[in-house]
Amino acid sequence: MNIAVVVVILVSAQSGNTEVVVQKDVKFEPVELPSQVSFAGERMPLDRFYVKEALDRELLSNAYFHSQTIRYIKLVPRYFPIIEPILKAHGIPDDFKYLAVAESGLNPRAISPARAAGFWQLMEGTATDYGLEINSEVDERYHIEKATHVACEYIKRAYKKFGNWTMVAAAYNRGMTGVNRQVVRQKEDDYYDLLITTETARYVYRIVALKLILENPEKYNFYIPEEEKYPIIPTKKVEIKGSVGNFADYAKKQGLSYKVFKDFNPWLRENELTYSGRKRYWVEIPEL
């Protein structure tokens, strides 16, 4: 599809001169699919027409959702260096970092209509089962590092059940019980041949589409200069010793505004923290 050439005539009120501005044709073209694609080392069977078309759909959706995808490209340098070493330490394939993009858009404060929260969109029950603290003052689902460790534990547990990273990704979206119910019902353990809810049916394809674009943005016509990407902000960890009655006052003592302090510590949900002595708390203080 081509957009017609636009000619704009500008008239100078003082001189009477005119200037003609010609806008070039803008072409919207199909997205070229790679001949081979894998997720977590597992080949995507593009020889099946329905698999190829499903990946094509997600590539088109993300390649032409320019504002969102540009933002992802800008955020990657800030957040991937945090989660990549944690995935590696747990033996989780590096491709699962793209699952975090699909889940939250790399927004540490993301919350879904179902009340899944944080970078990895953890439900409260799952988070507490894996040891995260959630109460009126603290919600560690919004703590990127701690939530990533929990996501890894869930992923490893799912892999023990399914033995396949692609099915693990589907189970992260649908839940292990939900996916296993369809495996038993349909007598089919291949994600690509499971009839499942629309969201989960598109989920792995979306992750792979994000991987393809974020690994090679120029191939999909995203040209973002390095200086335009969001850098890592250096921080230092400071232990909170004792209760805090007002984090606005605490932030001022650290040379920060309340806003900036909370931006770097979104897991602190209130303006105060009750310290029981049973657990140590560390906050991130940006070195601005």
Side-chain angles (χ1 to χ4, degrees), residues 35-48 51 55 91-96 155 158-160 162-171 189-192 204-205 207-208 211-212:
S35 58
Q36 293 185 347
V37 179
S38 65
F39 171 72
E42 297 171 357
R43 185 183 65 85
M44 179 176 280
L46 294 178
D47 54 318
R48 306 176 198 175
V51 172
L55 178 60
I92 305 297
D94 189 65
D95 279 355
F96 275 87
I155 290 166
Y159 187 75
K160 286 182 180 179
F162 296 107
N164 175 282
W165 294 116
T166 305
M167 288 288 282
V168 167
D189 60 3
D190 183 347
Y191 167 80
Y192 299 104
V204 172
Y205 295 103
I207 293 170
V208 172
K211 170 190 172 181
L212 291 171

Side-chain angles (χ1 to χ4, degrees), residues 211-229:
K211 170 190 172 181
L212 291 171
I213 294 171
L214 294 176
E215 281 185 339
N216 191 4
E218 291 82 8
K219 180 177 179 180
Y220 301 95
N221 296 314
F222 291 99
Y223 297 91
I224 314 301
E226 288 299 315
E227 61 270 18
E228 292 292 327
K229 297 176 183 178

Side-chain angles (χ1 to χ4, degrees), residues 20 48 74 132 138 145 219 232:
V20 178
R48 306 176 198 175
K74 288 188 171 190
L132 293 186
V138 170
E145 293 175 344
K219 180 177 179 180
I232 296 174

Side-chain angles (χ1 to χ4, degrees), residues 56-75:
D56 187 50
R57 175 182 183 175
E58 300 308 318
L59 265 177
L60 285 169
S61 296
N62 288 279
Y64 282 101
F65 195 166
H66 298 110
S67 58
Q68 174 181 272
T69 304
I70 288 171
R71 179 163 173 78
Y72 292 164
I73 295 168
K74 288 188 171 190
L75 285 169

Side-chain angles (χ1 to χ4, degrees), residues 1 27-31 60 64 221:
M1 181 186 296
K27 296 181 179 180
F28 293 100
E29 300 175 339
V31 178
L60 285 169
Y64 282 101
N221 296 314

Side-chain angles (χ1 to χ4, degrees), residues 14 31 73 88 101 119 122 136 152 180 203 207 234 246 255 284:
Q14 293 181 344
V31 178
I73 295 168
K88 184 176 181 180
V101 184
F119 214 67
L122 299 169
S136 60
C152 287
N180 193 60
Y203 189 68
I207 293 170
N246 188 310
E284 299 283 348

